[in-house]
Amino acid sequence: METNNEYERYQKASKKVKEIKGFYVHLIAYLIVIPILVVVNLKFSAKHLWFVYPMIGWGLGILGHALGVFGTDTLFSKNWEERKIKQFMEEEKKKNSYQ
């Protein structure tokens, strides 16, 4: 019974890690491709700044991806504050126990 529960927790954690990794791959691709589009736009057709359209569209996609992976309470919510406080308290406790 315990092994089954541990396996399920492992599967859930593994899925979460893959989702986070997918988000960061998406973000890195954005950070590489958008500057290339800016350079191409400015070099070949500087009168019309079309790079803004894919930058905004793809940026909204990344925002949606981030909300899907990390949730809406990821940054600066009360839940986030509580998790960070507990994390820092645990880190301080571990640090002091080794001294």
Side-chain angles (χ1 to χ4, degrees), residues 59-97:
L60 289 173
I62 287 178
L63 178 62
H65 195 169
L67 292 174
V69 170
F70 299 110
T72 56
D73 68 337
T74 302
L75 292 176
F76 311 122
S77 70
K78 195 66 173 168
N79 190 15
W80 175 83
E81 290 178 18
E82 291 298 323
R83 284 194 320 261
K84 280 299 180 186
I85 289 169
K86 287 178 184 177
Q87 176 188 346
F88 291 137
M89 288 172 64
E90 285 297 317
E91 289 172 1
E92 188 66 27
K93 184 178 177 182
K94 286 179 184 178
K95 188 169 70 171
N96 289 336
S97 68

Side-chain angles (χ1 to χ4, degrees), residues 31-47:
L31 294 174
I32 291 170
V33 172
I34 293 300
I36 292 170
L37 293 178
V38 170
V39 169
V40 168
N41 181 188
L42 295 177
K43 182 169 174 122
F44 294 107
S45 59
K47 291 181 181 179

